[in-house]
Amino acid sequence: MRLAGLAVAAWLTALAGLHLGTRTLLLVGGAAVVLTVLSALYLLGHLGRWPRATAHRYGWIVVAVGLGVVCAGAATAARLAIRDTPPIRVLAEQRAPVTADLVVRDDPRPIRSAGRPGMLLVSTELVRLTGPDGRRIHASVRLLVLATDPAWRGLLPGQRLTADGRLGVPRGGDLTAAVLSTNGPPERHGAPSWAQRAAGTLRTGLQRACAPLPDDPGGLLPGLVVGDTSRLPPAVEEEFQATGMTHLNAVSGSNVAIVVGAVLLLARWSRAGPWLAAGLCGVALVGFVILVRPSPSVVRAATMGAIGLAALAAGRPRAALPALAAAVTVLVLVDPELAGDPGFALSVLATGGLLLLAPRWRDGLRRRGVPPGLAEALAVPAAAQLACGPVVAGISGTVSLVAVPANLLAVPAIAPATVLGVLAAMMSPIWPAGAEFVAWLASWPAWWLVIIARQGARLPGGTLPWPGGVPGALLLTGLTVALLIAVRRPLVRRLVAVVGVAAVLGALPVRLMAAGWPPAGWVVVACAVGQGDALVLPVDPGRAVVVDAGPEPGAVDGCLRRLGVREVPLLVISHFHADHVGGVAGVFRGRRVGAVLTPSSTDPESGRDLVRAAATGGRAALLTTVAGARHPVGGVDLLVLGPPYPLAGTRSDPNNNSLVLRATVAGVRILLAGDAETEEQHAMVTRAAPGQLRADVLKIAHHGSAYQDPGFLDAVRPSVALVPVGTGNTYGHPSPGLLARLSRGGVRVLRTDTDGDVAAVRTGDGLAVARRGVPAGRQP
């Protein structure tokens, strides 16, 4: 208990310090020093009077907690003082152009949700900074690089380089001193260490071995084995998240345990002694950590594993819980930033749940007649999910109802896939054909994991909304602790079981059958997909025309599921920017798409290629259109109004060549303006026939940007305006001036960032609106 108190106090102190700052941390640390010293002196003075008293035992726990606060406060304050070096902070606030000498800390990671396709996130350590005046600053601080040049993609940890760019202020809450935005390639100096080069060779070899496999298992296997998710389809990643299996997408402590356990079994089979077995496991542990890169969960598991191996060699193999507490304490003191890392928190909590809850639950199930193997299989995922639930709820704003059964079904496939994947990586430099065969074997358990995630994500009512952030996490933590204490009593346990079953049986049908969405008579829905567009026009029950797909597959897929859309006879792409085509795979997910309609302009090519690939994979016809063309689909009549001619030399040519459509649904005119800006809007006004632009509903162009032509808004004269826009976007959308102008004209404005999915509805009395709302703690 004393060691656990030390670990928890150190963790919470470091976490608070990252957000509160150095001054507050020093005040708390000073108070903790005084209280700890006084408590220790008091306890030592009464040592001979009540050595076994309960108060005495808890008194030393208080001392341990105080030591954790003092040590973590000092370590975190020292790192924060280095992070907030005044010269670097000043340059970051000025967004000054600089030249930075850096050391790469981790593999570059693509940012899929970024507005600029191909952007990479690179974690680095700063060595030297040269400011715009030529002054050099030597500082060892963490720098986050946002890069667009493909030359950054192949960097390895430990690589020294020089890069030019502009500094920016970080978001806070970690040890990052500044953000460097760069568009150019890095200048490399020398090569990484031999260990990192070897790891890079093995990781690349595993990717080559998985190349012949289908995308889903072939992309999952490198992520499961070495944490490389570069080839993992976004749809699979979202399905794993929806079913509470996202920990399998990256290397975690379970992978370390599997690899070290396999080596330990081989050592015991060969009758190796404790010291030799511990040594072999230690070599495997170091090699695997280098191979997969030291992520927070792997570092935690490796540290705990090292302590556990030492306990094994010394003849004390049951010191798992003290090993976990010691690992947390050491890691937080060495790197306080780990305290705020969600992966680290989930890994520690999952391990704690397995150590504290799973054995008791397993034994309780066995006493009630459950077979030993089944009892173990039921207790392990349930304990891990219960321990991690508050953090997951705080991050996602949801509580998964399918996580425990999904993880239970996944258990038999994890170890074979991991061991075979590691074997394929090790064989790849020596015998590529053999590595491909082993990877093919590993793809079968990987397929099983994909099937579980896919089916679990498609279950209706599989996740429930929950308050997000710290309040939601604390609320679920309190309920979980209260439940664990209460169920110790048989009567309470039976009551909880009855209430839980009644709640599920009573609430689930209501959630599935009477959700209240979509509203009756809807003619258009603007989906809450973040900073992007996705509009839906109903054709028949279960069928709809979709205009644009938003930035992410999961968001548009979720919106279409809520609307009950099973078939899309026509998908229209207004233009090829990522915020309109990034989610195109989500439209095809589980649906038949008849045709894809695109503009004649093909900029940017990355978006065009994404749409073409989705259409080809989904066997949908790929069509282009021009102004004046009509595309009737059932009861939906589409007329292309813009661009009236190709526009060039504008502020944004791709935006100003967006398709602008006038849709007529049940007699209601809806104008879908894409991202058309002032130039295209003005061109349409000058070319349009009288009344041609008039509409009842206007989808505001370009997320409500300020680039709107007043003549265009006057020509449309809508009653309802829909603004698809993302929460907290950095573009200033929607423009306050535009909103004020619409309000003065009596227009009813609905925004997806504040209202969630929004709909225009035809009623017997005319046109009405409906909003689905944004679940607490979640951003559309």
Side-chain angles (χ1 to χ4, degrees):
M1 288 296 294
R2 290 190 290 270
L3 198 55
L6 177 69
V8 172
W11 188 358
L12 295 180
T13 301
L15 179 61
L18 291 174
H19 293 276
L20 298 179
T22 308
R23 182 173 300 179
T24 304
L25 199 59
L26 291 176
L27 292 175
V28 172
V33 168
V34 175
L35 292 176
T36 302
V37 171
L38 292 177
S39 299
L41 291 175
Y42 179 80
L43 291 169
L44 290 173
H46 292 75
L47 189 60
R49 301 182 185 179
W50 29 279
R52 296 183 181 179
T54 302
H56 190 264
R57 183 169 63 251
Y58 284 112
W60 284 112
I61 294 176
V62 172
V63 172
V65 169
L67 286 174
V69 173
V70 172
C71 295
T76 307
R79 299 298 294 272
L80 291 176
I82 298 173
R83 181 197 70 178
D84 298 330
T85 303
I88 297 178
R89 178 65 62 173
V90 171
L91 291 175
E93 292 174 350
Q94 295 174 349
R95 293 193 55 81
V98 298
T99 299
D101 296 324
L102 307 168
V103 177
V104 178
R105 298 182 63 240
D106 201 354
D107 291 286
R109 294 186 291 110
I111 309 176
R112 286 175 176 159
S113 60
R116 300 166 65 184
M119 181 173 287
L120 298 170
L121 189 70
V122 189
S123 177
T124 67
E125 191 82 17
L126 177 66
V127 177
R128 183 176 60 188
L129 194 70
T130 304
D133 56 356
R135 185 165 63 98
R136 294 183 176 181
I137 303 170
H138 294 266
S140 179
V141 295
R142 294 180 184 177
L143 207 66
L144 199 61
V145 179
L146 297 177
T148 55
D149 195 285
W152 288 82
R153 193 175 297 274
L155 295 175
L156 293 174
Q159 176 75 59
R160 298 180 65 90
L161 55 90
T162 300
D164 297 325
R166 285 188 176 273
L167 280 189
V169 178
R171 63 179 182 178
D174 55 25
L175 295 179
T176 302
V179 177
L180 179 70
S181 300
T182 176
N183 296 321
E187 180 184 348
R188 306 189 187 195
H189 305 297
S193 66
W194 67 267
Q196 293 292 356
R197 292 199 303 273
T201 300
L202 294 178
R203 291 164 69 92
T204 303
L206 179 60
Q207 281 285 8
R208 283 198 302 268
C210 294
L213 301 175
D215 287 343
D216 290 352
L220 175 63
L221 191 58
L224 181 68
V225 176
V226 296
D228 183 358
T229 58
S230 58
R231 194 186 152 196
L232 183 65
V236 176
E237 189 171 358
E238 290 156 6
E239 288 163 353
F240 271 65
Q241 183 175 4
T243 50
M245 298 168 60
T246 188
H247 59 282
L248 300 180
N249 291 349
V251 177
S252 65
S254 61
N255 301 75
V256 178
I258 290 170
V259 172
V260 174
V263 174
L264 184 60
L265 286 176
L266 289 175
R268 288 182 175 176
W269 177 76
S270 60
R271 300 182 182 277
W275 284 101
L276 180 57
L280 292 174
C281 291
V283 172
L285 182 66
V286 173
F288 187 69
V289 170
I290 293 175
L291 172 64
V292 302
R293 310 292 192 236
S295 66
S297 58
V298 174
V299 169
R300 187 275 314 157
T303 305
M304 181 180 170
I307 298 173
L309 290 174
L312 174 65
R316 299 182 59 191
R318 296 188 177 181
L321 191 58
L324 175 63
V328 171
T329 305
V330 171
L331 290 173
V332 169
L333 294 181
V334 171
D335 186 3
E337 188 175 273
L338 288 175
D341 189 280
F344 179 78
L346 291 173
S347 181
V348 172
L349 291 173
T351 305
L354 296 179
L355 295 177
L356 294 174
L357 301 177
R360 297 180 182 180
W361 293 357
R362 176 201 60 201
D363 296 341
L365 290 172
R366 293 179 64 179
R367 286 194 300 269
R368 288 165 176 79
V370 179
L374 181 58
E376 186 87 25
L378 289 172
V380 168
Q385 188 63 33
L386 186 70
C388 295
V391 175
V392 174
I395 295 173
S396 65
T398 60
V399 174
S400 176
L401 300 181
V402 299
V404 172
N407 281 278
L408 174 62
L409 293 172
V411 167
I414 298 173
T418 302
V419 173
L420 290 172
V422 171
L423 184 59
M426 296 177 64
M427 293 174 60
S428 60
I430 306 169
W431 188 16
E436 289 187 8
F437 175 73
V438 175
W440 176 78
L441 292 177
S443 70
W444 290 100
W447 253 124
W448 174 242
L449 297 176
V450 171
I451 291 172
I452 295 170
R454 182 157 298 157
Q455 298 304 318
R458 291 178 178 177
L459 286 176
T463 57
L464 298 177
W466 189 265
V470 176
L474 292 177
L475 175 61
L476 189 56
T477 299
L479 292 176
T480 301
V481 172
L483 183 64
L484 289 174
I485 295 174
V487 296
R488 291 186 174 184
R489 299 178 179 273
L491 178 61
V492 176
R493 189 161 53 242
R494 296 190 187 97
L495 181 62
V496 169
V498 171
V499 172
V501 171
V504 171
L505 295 179
L508 197 56
V510 174
R511 178 174 170 82
L512 298 180
M513 302 176 60
W517 190 263
W522 66 283
V523 294
V524 61
V525 165
C527 298
V529 294
Q531 185 68 6
D533 274 19
L535 287 300
V536 187
L537 306 167
V539 176
D540 295 308
R543 302 174 70 235
V545 172
V546 178
V547 181
D548 288 327
E552 294 286 343
V556 66
D557 177 46
C559 180
L560 294 177
R561 289 181 187 279
R562 292 189 291 270
L563 295 172
V565 176
R566 299 181 298 276
E567 182 181 348
V568 179
L570 182 64
L571 167 62
V572 183
I573 301 297
S574 66
H575 64 299
F576 294 109
H577 273 162
D579 56 338
H580 292 249
V581 303
V584 67
V587 180
F588 283 82
R589 188 180 298 170
R591 299 177 189 86
R592 179 182 174 275
V593 179
V596 180
L597 189 66
T598 66
S600 55
S601 172
T602 60
D603 287 336
E605 293 185 357
S606 59
R608 178 203 62 185
D609 294 342
L610 185 64
V611 172
R612 285 185 176 178
T616 302
R619 299 180 180 180
L622 194 60
L623 312 172
T624 57
T625 190
V626 294
R630 191 170 236 108
H631 302 276
V633 183
V636 177
D637 182 58
L638 294 175
L639 175 64
V640 181
L641 299 179
Y645 51 85
L647 284 90
T650 66
R651 197 192 75 87
S652 172
D653 288 349
N655 285 342
N656 281 303
N657 284 283
S658 294
L659 290 181
V660 177
L661 308 170
R662 192 191 69 195
T664 305
V665 183
V668 178
R669 279 188 167 192
I670 305 156
L671 194 66
L672 307 174
D675 273 3
E677 296 185 348
T678 308
E679 295 91 340
E680 184 178 359
Q681 293 178 14
H682 180 72
M684 285 190 293
V685 170
T686 58
R687 292 290 187 96
Q692 191 177 43
L693 295 177
R694 177 76 178 88
D696 305 295
V697 181
L698 171 63
K699 196 287 298 186
I700 297 294
H702 201 185
H703 323 297
S705 79
Y707 299 101
Q708 310 285 336
D709 181 60
F712 175 77
L713 296 175
D714 291 339
V716 180
R717 288 184 294 123
S719 301
V720 174
L722 308 179
V723 188
V725 62
T727 302
N729 70 86
T730 59
Y731 307 101
H733 297 164
S735 165
L738 172 65
L739 297 180
R741 190 184 198 284
L742 293 170
S743 298
R744 286 196 302 270
V747 180
R748 181 72 180 274
V749 180
L750 287 88
R751 303 164 42 171
T752 60
D753 59 340
T754 56
D755 300 320
D757 297 342
V758 293
V761 182
R762 182 178 180 181
T763 68
D765 298 327
L767 196 62
V769 297
R771 54 173 65 87
R772 181 173 178 270
V774 183
R778 300 195 67 187
Q779 295 183 356

